């Protein structure tokens, strides 16, 4: 983990409400694993005060770059998205545990189930799985409200053997929720493991479907963060069974679905 | 001008600190979380999270909300209990090169006493900080911090069972902080920490519910600095004869100097560490630079200097 | 969805206000300073500066310091005294189209009583707001706001000499605001304003002296909003049966909604007006838009809604 | 008085620590008198919160522009100086009373005594005096720490019949303080009135020299401001004789020297 000032080499709008930033930060690019995130300072003022966690979407170790996909939902993400190429961003990272890789013996399909901007860490995972590929196929399922809400879908599609899209309004792919695509896939046998990232209700549904199908499921969670490094205990989510809590920033953001008390997670 | 290195060392509660800068309890975990980014031995002291007798799971999330120039937290004293703290959390700090201060909390005086006794047996602990001011649990200490009587009772009881230097951390959520400070001093505290967080809340206007799982939380960060400086000023003006550790919204050496000039012998950095993990280091360097620039040979010369006309 | 215009009107202390938004006393001068930028008749009410019996010159400068997301002020109740206020300051508001609320302050109960009597004779005045909470003068009212006994005495005395609707403005610089609110209600106040400013200070590290001429000042602005919302929440939860006017750091309609959902029937805008002079208008429009968006027909429906699970 | 969003048409650095901004705001340009100021929002965040008062250095009514000279002394002025051309600035103005013009009968020398960035309102005054000229001469005296601290001096020089500069280090003009230049000038007879703007100690000295020479003196004061419109009573300075106060934003910023309790003004 390091704190570095990193230069934006390029930035471009993506879909209805996202921005892709490429940042020069060789040390973080070299160290980051899929599913890890950076904690980003979005202003030099005391307002907004706290850093914002953003997943690394891709790390190019040769070029010393990382790529972030930022959805503009509030002041912090809007400020980030507005920064011009050449601007400097203060990053803390890489943070979090990242996705565990499938073991060498895994065979069958590896399913990546993404909702909206949740696609970001799964692009990185798919990219890494490409190089580690053994006896499994990588299959991507991506859902969004409309074709305008499927940011960087080609980045995921290009790294999967199989790829399906669903939109709620039917403007791209199947009309419906991504969980319906997942249902179809689980109905056939052969799913080895599911990795998911997206809105909580979507991930809760994915977790439940995987539990029913007895397929291991890894979910990448979000929670509002203070420190990002495990020190403040601010970012917890309820653990399954009992009244303990897990830190999203340090114990996660990736959890085995059965670690979490999904019913208590709320929105 | 000679470039003499200024003397930043101070004494708090009988401990000599290399410099007057330490993290604030609860914002620095168990001391190791930030070790990649900050050399612990460069700190005046390491201050760890509140420790209670039994393990506490803490409050339901969300536990954190950002507010203008500040944040609300309602962690709820999550900690593994004093036994685990002594066995697992403190040993890694044995050779950290700075005194280790443990913040203690409880629901009853007996809780505090038991925690203080257990911690007294740990060779790693240099001092105890009584948290009489946590706003985030129904019975997490703040009730002791609001009236001089109960506070004095608590401090005396802990004083009776420990020979460790004793710091008492006060709540700012009071009409007049001076009688509380005086009560703690008369009951035997060696130093005072001020301030803990201000009680606040925020409401989600879409859901029409409080944003925090715990409804209310503690406000920290730059937003509260003027209140914190004022309380340090008031307690310093009362001349109680114990050193003060000032905190509340310190982001820079200049902010730390406000507290020192108001009468704090040392300062603690909380929320700022989340924003800039090496704030402590920056503050230490900035204090040294201020001293050099202004011909101050020892930082102790300027403690409370703003009271002198 | 039908685009019915939502009903923003509320009742405070027997006054019907067109909408629940008014300026906060002391930040809107005598009501005319902002008339170029804000239509007074569009406001729920106009609230003017604290008025005392005799003229007061106010405190020595500097009187204002900016702080993170806030400001400290130590104006010291500068005003020309109630006679000049009645003769010169209030008449221009006679036809302003909104009820006029005058904030009153004093050093003794008799002062307040005399001011209230004089103002009662002015046809321009719609209500009085007792400032029991000014932190910026040695004897400017805050002493009344810190203990239930003196507060009740003050409110009863004023109540006895005026038939005008009576609002009591409370200080946040207390351990528990509920007993003070209750004391004011039992003594006959028709409504409560909360909060006044938090006592704070700032130090100039170059000069090594307090930045304000008065040493301490009142902290206002977004920084204090979480504390203000919490106090409104606490007083609303106590169910005292009088309407609350919430204030402290409101910059936007969303901020105002936090107060309304916490239990305020109306809100006041202070520091924000300095930054954006037409904040009141923006808040009024934003409240209307919120109601339309959420199918709320009358803003009164959602007063205190965050208390309902 | 209006609140307007105004576009920066050009911005350039000036001297050691200043920036000149040209802002498009026809209504303010049309209404502003020399000595008046605009109250400028320097960020959209709550930190820094308050507006910053900046004198209008020139108003071009034809072009609908005003010109500001900003000295970078803290966060607000630095943020303003950093804004690129094309950016929008929220202005409230024109505010304050402005300089009273010399009466039509005035004859003799009109002295403009400026220190550093205090030159700004005097440039505007000199510009207006050019068009109103009757039987007087306009004479500018400008002081600064060094030749790097004489921002826009040519703007003042070009609008005066006589112009002198002093610097503390002698790098431009006479070595010494601008009050020495003033002393020389007052020693000759013929000074009708003095207008001054600069650091307080300088203006206090100017005021005293004028009092001794029985020359009317107008000084433009600075004070930290809240509202800028006379509502908050935050920006006061002590009035002469008695314990009353005057608002810099509304009763000033320009005061007759004898209105003020100079000895109580501090720094
Ligand atoms: C591990 C991790 C990885 C992430 N990766 C990405 C990514 O790759 N791309 C991406 O775009 N986003 C990502 N996010 C989400 C991102 O961090 C947030 O969208 C961002 O912090 C929002 O900041 P903001 O200032 O734009 O919004 P804000 O203005 O802070 O908030 C937006 C909304 O959230 C609400 N909110 C604020 N605080 C709380 C709270 N405590 N509880 C409930 N609601 C609250 C606000 O009221 C508001 O409605 C990730 C989050 C985590 C934890
Ligand atoms: C009528 C008027 C006209 C002006 N015209 C111009 C102009 O044309 N050009 C120009 O460059 N400037 C002008 N100024 C000055 C300008 O307003 C200030 O320099 C500016 O507000 C500083 O803001 P900042 O954020 O850059 O500095 P800040 O960071 O706010 O402050 C800079 C320094 O001042 C100190 N300070 C802050 N508050 C106080 C206080 N209450 N009392 C004492 N010290 C304090 C700070 O501690 C710091 O050291 C004018 C001021 C007035 C009143
Ligand atoms: C997330 C968080 C957790 C905290 N936990 C504790 C604690 O366990 N014990 C304690 O005495 N104070 C605790 N505090 C209060 C801080 O130690 C400090 O007094 C306060 O935050 C003000 O300082 P700051 O503004 O620099 O953060 C906590 C503060 C925060 C933000
Ligand atoms: C400059 C200034 C002057 C004030 N004067 C008064 C006053 O005369 N009487 C009063 O009751 N409150 C006074 N207040 C307090 C405000 O009315 C309000 O309660 C407080 O500022 C919190 O609201 P805000 O954060 O929106 O400013 C003053 C506040 C400021 C900033
Ligand atoms: S954000 Fe601090 S523990 Fe996770
Ligand atoms: S700044 Fe408010 S009265 Fe001058």
């Amino acid at each position: 983990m390091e704190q570095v000032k990193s230069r934006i080499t390029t930035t471009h709008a993506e879909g209805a409400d996202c921005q892709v930033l490429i940042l020069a930060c060789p040390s973080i690019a070299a160290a980051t694993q899929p599913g890890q995130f950076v904690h980003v300072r979005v202003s030099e003022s005391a307002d907004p005060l706290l850093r914002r966690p953003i997943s690394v979407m891709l790390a190019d170790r040769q070029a010393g770059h990382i790529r972030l996909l930022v959805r503009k939902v509030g002041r912090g993400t809007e400020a980030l998205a507005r920064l011009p190429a050449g601007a400097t961003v203060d990053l803390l990272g890489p943070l979090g545990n990242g996705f565990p890789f499938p073991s060498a013996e895994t065979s069958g399909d590896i399913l990546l189930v993404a909702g909206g901007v949740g696609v970001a860490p799964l692009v990185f995972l798919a990219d890494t799985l490409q190089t580690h590929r053994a006896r499994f196929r990588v299959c991507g399922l991506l859902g969004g409200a409309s074709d305008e809400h499927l940011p960087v879908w080609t980045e995921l599609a290009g790294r999967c053997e199989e790829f399906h899209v669903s939109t709620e309004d039917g403007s791209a792919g199947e009309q419906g929720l991504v969980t319906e695509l997942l249902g179809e896939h689980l109905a056939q046998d052969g799913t080895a493991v599911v990795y998911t990232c997206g809105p909580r209700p979507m991930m809760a549904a994915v977790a439940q479907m995987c539990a029913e199908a007895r397929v291991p499921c890894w979910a990448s969670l979000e929670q509002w963060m203070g420190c990002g490094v495990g020190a403040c205990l601010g970012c917890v989510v309820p653990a399954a069974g009992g009244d303990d809590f897990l830190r999203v920033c340090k114990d996660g953001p990736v959890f085995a679905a059965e670690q979490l008390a999904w019913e208590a997670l709320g929105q | 001008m000679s470039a003499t290195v200024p003397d930043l060392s101070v004494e708090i509660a009988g401990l000599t600190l290399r410099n007057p800068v330490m993290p604030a309890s609860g914002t620095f975990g168990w001391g190791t979380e930030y070790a990649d980014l900050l050399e612990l031995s460069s700190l005046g002291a390491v201050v760890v999270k509140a420790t209670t007798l039994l393990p506490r799971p803490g409050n339901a999330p969300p536990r954190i909300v950002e507010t203008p120039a500040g944040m609300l937290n309602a962690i709820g004293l999550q900690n593994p209990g004093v036994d685990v703290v002594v066995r697992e959390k403190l040993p890694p700090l044995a050779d950290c090169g700075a005194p280790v201060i443990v913040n203690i909390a409880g629901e009853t005086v007996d809780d505090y006493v038991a925690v203080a006794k257990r911690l007294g047996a740990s060779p790693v602990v240099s001092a105890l900080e009584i948290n009489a001011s946590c706003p985030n649990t129904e019975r997490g200490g703040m009730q002791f911090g609001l009236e001089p009587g109960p506070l004095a009772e608590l401090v005396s009881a802990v004083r009776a069972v420990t020979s460790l230097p004793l710091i008492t951390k006060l709540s700012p959520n009071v009409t007049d902080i001076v009688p509380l400070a005086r009560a703690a001093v008369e009951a035997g505290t060696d130093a005072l920490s001020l301030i803990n967080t201000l009680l606040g809340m925020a409401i989600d206007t879409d859901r029409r519910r409080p944003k925090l799982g715990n409804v209310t939380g503690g406000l920290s960060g730059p937003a509260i600095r003027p209140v914190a400086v004022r309380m340090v000023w008031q307690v310093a003006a009362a001349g109680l004869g114990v050193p003060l550790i000032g905190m509340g919204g310190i982001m820079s050496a200049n902010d730390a100097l406000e507290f020192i000039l108001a009468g704090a012998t040392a300062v603690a950095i909380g929320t700022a560490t989340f924003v800039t993990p090496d704030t402590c280091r920056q503050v230490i360097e900035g204090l040294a630079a201020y001293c050099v620039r202004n011909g101050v040979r020892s930082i102790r010369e300027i403690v409370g200097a703003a009271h002198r006309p």
Side-chain angles (χ1 to χ4, degrees), chain A, chain B:
Chain A
M1 165 182 42
E2 281 182 83
Q3 186 194 344
V4 296
K5 305 249 188 234
S6 159
R7 204 171 45 81
I8 301 180
T9 64
T10 30
T11 172
H12 68 265
E14 174 74 33
D17 54 5
C18 290
Q19 191 84 10
V20 173
L21 306 180
I22 305 185
L23 292 153
C25 49
S27 55
I28 292 182
T32 310
Q33 297 298 317
Q36 289 192 298
F37 66 94
V38 285
H39 213 21
V40 186
R41 184 135 190 222
V42 293
S43 86
E44 290 186 13
S45 122
D47 176 54
L49 182 65
L50 298 174
R51 290 173 180 265
R52 303 294 193 257
I54 304 286
S55 299
V56 175
M57 181 175 93
L58 277 172
D60 182 335
R61 301 186 210 289
Q62 269 77 49
H65 288 166
I66 62 168
R67 217 172 269 249
L68 305 181
L69 173 65
V70 177
R71 180 161 170 239
K72 294 177 270 180
V73 300
R75 290 201 307 155
T77 47
E78 269 152 24
L80 262 184
R82 250 197 323 267
L83 288 176
T88 292
V89 182
D90 179 339
L91 303 178
L92 184 63
L95 301 174
N97 58 0
F99 293 108
F101 287 118
S103 69
E105 305 87 67
T106 306
S107 69
D109 286 358
I110 295 184
L111 252 57
L112 311 184
V113 185
V117 74
V119 70
L122 296 176
V123 168
F124 195 0
L125 178 61
D127 192 70
T128 311
L129 289 175
Q130 291 288 345
T131 64
H132 289 237
R133 185 129 35 110
R135 292 178 296 157
F136 50 76
R137 292 169 69 238
V138 178
C139 170
L141 308 178
L142 173 61
S146 78
D147 57 353
E148 282 284 272
H149 295 84
L150 299 169
V152 303
W153 70 269
T154 53
E155 300 280 358
L156 183 58
R159 290 174 172 86
C160 295
E161 273 81 59
E162 193 184 329
F163 181 75
H164 300 282
V165 156
S166 70
T167 52
E168 289 170 42
D169 67 357
S171 54
E174 300 287 306
Q175 176 163 10
L177 298 174
V178 70
T179 44
E180 295 165 30
L181 299 180
L182 173 64
E184 289 163 27
H185 215 285
L186 289 175
Q188 310 147 24
D189 262 358
T191 302
V193 54
V194 170
Y195 295 93
T196 185
C197 186
R200 281 199 188 175
M202 180 204 100
M203 290 198 289
V206 171
Q208 184 171 352
M209 293 167 76
C210 289
E212 284 162 10
R214 294 174 193 279
V215 170
C217 172
W218 298 94
S220 180
L221 271 274
E222 292 193 0
Q223 180 60 286
W224 299 92
M225 290 192 180
C227 66
V229 305
C232 74
L233 310 180
C235 64
V236 301
V237 288
D243 45 22
D244 272 355
F245 296 102
L246 295 163
R247 294 167 300 180
V248 170
C249 72
K250 188 81 177 182
D251 307 316
V254 178
F255 297 96
E258 63 273 16
Q259 284 181 276
L260 302 174
W262 288 98
E263 70 292 352
L265 272 179
Q267 297 298 313
Chain B
M1 220 177 69
S2 82
T4 343
V5 179
D7 177 8
L8 293 186
S9 71
V10 296
E11 278 219 14
I12 292 277
L15 294 177
T16 301
L17 313 184
R18 154 181 317 107
N19 61 61
V21 183
M22 61 188 84
S25 174
T27 65
F28 206 66
W30 299 104
T32 52
E33 288 83 349
Y34 280 106
D36 277 12
L37 300 166
L38 196 63
E39 183 62 56
L40 298 186
S41 64
S42 70
L43 299 174
V46 170
V47 185
V48 298
K49 243 207 103 45
T51 297
T52 55
L53 186 55
L54 300 178
R56 287 183 59 100
N59 292 328
R63 291 180 172 181
I64 280 186
V65 178
E66 191 181 52
T67 66
M71 62 179 277
L72 290 164
N73 88 79
I75 308 300
L77 297 178
Q78 176 179 341
N79 81 98
V82 68
D83 286 338
V84 176
V85 168
V86 169
R87 213 167 49 230
E88 294 174 18
K89 301 296 183 186
L90 295 177
L93 294 174
D95 300 311
C96 76
V100 174
I101 300 176
V102 182
N103 184 269
I104 67 175
E107 299 185 5
T108 63
V109 171
D110 289 347
D111 285 357
Y112 282 89
V113 165
V115 175
K117 274 194 193 150
R118 288 285 287 116
L119 289 169
S122 162
V124 181
V125 181
S126 304
L128 300 180
E129 181 179 57
I130 297 182
N131 180 351
S133 46
C134 178
N136 292 329
T137 62
E138 202 127 310
R139 308 186 54 198
M142 191 161 97
Q143 73 280 18
F144 294 111
L146 303 182
E147 300 277 351
L151 180 65
E153 193 196 329
L154 172 63
V155 174
S156 311
V158 176
R159 175 77 293 171
V161 299
T162 189
S163 55
L164 283 171
L166 197 59
I167 303 162
T168 303
K169 184 160 174 179
L170 300 180
S171 168
N173 300 293
V174 295
T175 308
D176 185 358
I177 194 143
V178 173
L180 289 149
R182 182 172 289 119
V185 170
E186 286 169 359
T189 199
D190 299 307
L192 295 166
S193 279
L194 33 154
I195 60 174
N196 211 313
T197 52
L198 286 168
L199 192 61
M201 75 180 286
I203 290 177
D204 181 327
T205 57
D206 287 327
R207 293 193 307 113
R208 300 189 195 166
R209 289 292 300 151
K211 282 188 176 172
L212 289 171
N214 188 52
V215 180
T216 57
L219 183 63
S220 65
I224 70 169
R225 193 167 64 235
V227 175
V229 171
R230 181 261 296 182
M231 289 190 165
V232 168
W233 172 277
Q234 289 176 317
V235 173
L240 303 175
V242 301
L244 310 180
I245 307 174
M247 70 198 76
I250 298 176
M251 304 291 282
S252 67
N254 197 59
D255 298 344
L257 281 161
E258 285 199 58
F259 284 85
I260 292 170
L261 294 168
T265 299
V267 295
I269 313 291
T271 305
T273 296
F274 303 160
V275 182
T276 308
D278 65 351
T279 304
C280 283
R281 188 181 58 69
Q282 292 184 18
V283 170
I284 295 165
E285 289 174 7
L287 291 180
Y290 179 91
C291 289
V292 170
R293 210 163 55 237
N294 292 281
V296 173
R297 273 160 313 173
S298 159
I299 192 87
R300 298 186 298 278
E301 289 170 26
I302 61 169
V303 170
H307 291 267
R308 300 169 214 143

